[in-house]
Amino acid sequence: AATMASSDDADALAAEAASLDGYFSDAPLTPEPRYPPPNESFDTAVVVTNIPRVGAAKIDKLTKVVTKLVSRIGNLAASDDFPGVYLPLDEAKDESYGFAICEYETREEARQAIEVLSGYKFDKNHSLQVIPYGRAQDLQDVDADAGAEFEAPEPEPFRERPNTSSWLEDPVQRDQFVLREGKETIVKWSDGKTEPVVDYDGGREKEAGVAWCEYYTRWSPQGSYLATLVPAKGVILWGGDGFQKIARFP
């Protein structure tokens, strides 16, 4: 009975195969895996420097401490081959190099690690510095022999900066105030007794066809600088005798 059932099953399968004949292609199946493109930018990896150097016997313990610290920032890209944190060992000295390579799952976590951990006090003698792994590669590629002969750069010519406290040296101990009227911005001397005298009214700028102030103006907290606003240029600082232009903030 069992042999007859097996024969019937075989006949049924043969009949089903015959009915499906022509539905399948004779071309061989050669499926190829479709892998995602490899990430060659290393933008999820960072290098943590200024870590204490320890002997080979203590490197596992130090790795655990560093892993616990950096994992607070985000998820580490751990795998069977890479635990997410690696402290290289100098085999010649049998001690760590003093830095660690850490890889996160996302580039946002790597950026946050750079911001949060840079300057972090690891212990009383070590403050961490964190840089992108790509930056570390660029530094590694620098030719050490290229800088063997150091040439000091030429110093820029000395330029005496305006004395921003010169108004304190006024021989008659006058004070200054700034007046904004219409399109005019005028700094005047005043002794509280006589008519105020003009110190500076933007004459240089008027001759050059530009404005030294168009809207607001204000003294710095100690009166060393006068800040004026020119929307097309930003905030400009003036000071010293004749109110020289000192700086500009777009």
Side-chain angles (χ1 to χ4, degrees):
T3 302
M4 184 178 294
S6 300
S7 177
D8 291 342
D9 292 341
D11 292 341
L13 290 173
E16 184 178 359
S19 66
L20 295 174
D21 187 28
Y23 281 91
F24 298 103
S25 172
D26 294 333
L29 294 176
T30 56
E32 296 182 359
R34 299 175 63 183
Y35 298 110
N39 180 10
E40 298 180 353
S41 65
F42 297 102
D43 52 4
T44 59
V46 298
V47 178
V48 182
T49 64
N50 206 27
I51 294 175
R53 295 172 180 261
V54 298
K58 296 183 179 179
I59 196 168
D60 288 341
K61 182 178 180 179
L62 181 60
T63 300
K64 291 180 181 179
V65 174
V66 174
T67 301
K68 183 177 181 180
L69 174 64
V70 299
S71 62
R72 294 178 183 175
I73 306 300
N75 296 323
L76 295 173
S79 64
D80 294 337
D81 300 327
F82 179 64
V85 176
Y86 171 60
L87 273 69
L89 180 68
D90 185 351
E91 296 182 357
K93 297 182 179 180
D94 199 34
E95 67 175 13
S96 61
Y97 278 103
F99 70 89
I101 300 173
C102 310
E103 185 175 5
Y104 290 93
E105 291 184 351
T106 66
R107 62 179 61 130
E108 288 75 18
E109 291 170 325
R111 291 196 193 103
Q112 189 174 4
I114 296 173
E115 295 177 2
V116 175
L117 295 179
S118 292
Y120 178 83
K121 208 62 169 160
F122 190 80
D123 58 31
K124 64 179 181 179
N125 296 321
H126 297 84
S127 295
L128 302 182
Q129 295 297 325
V130 187
I131 60 175
Y133 183 82
R135 173 60 178 160
Q137 283 186 309
D138 295 339
L139 294 175
Q140 184 181 18
D141 294 338
V142 173
D143 187 2
D145 294 334
E149 295 294 333
F150 174 75
E151 295 183 4
E154 288 291 332
E156 295 185 2
F158 173 74
R159 292 188 304 168
E160 186 174 357
R161 296 180 62 84
N163 179 10
T164 57
S165 298
S166 60
W167 62 278
L168 293 173
E169 302 171 358
D170 183 60
V172 292
Q173 300 179 351
R174 295 173 298 178
D175 203 353
Q176 285 184 330
F177 68 93
V178 60
L179 178 66
R180 175 76 182 158
E181 181 182 4
K183 295 183 178 181
E184 294 292 330
T185 303
I186 305 172
V187 179
K188 293 187 176 183
W189 287 109
S190 175
D191 59 6
K193 299 177 182 179
T194 59
E195 189 72 17
V197 178
V198 174
D199 185 13
Y200 188 67
D201 60 357
R204 290 188 310 271
E205 288 68 37
K206 291 178 182 178
E207 292 181 2
V210 297
W212 80 306
C213 179
E214 290 184 355
Y215 286 96
Y216 305 106
T217 181
R218 180 164 295 184
W219 296 104
S220 63
Q222 296 184 0
S224 301
Y225 304 97
L226 178 67
T228 63
L229 175 62
V230 179
K233 299 179 180 179
V235 176
I236 306 174
L237 294 185
W238 312 83
D241 292 331
F243 285 87
Q244 303 296 315
K245 182 179 178 181
I246 294 177
R248 181 173 70 90
F249 304 93

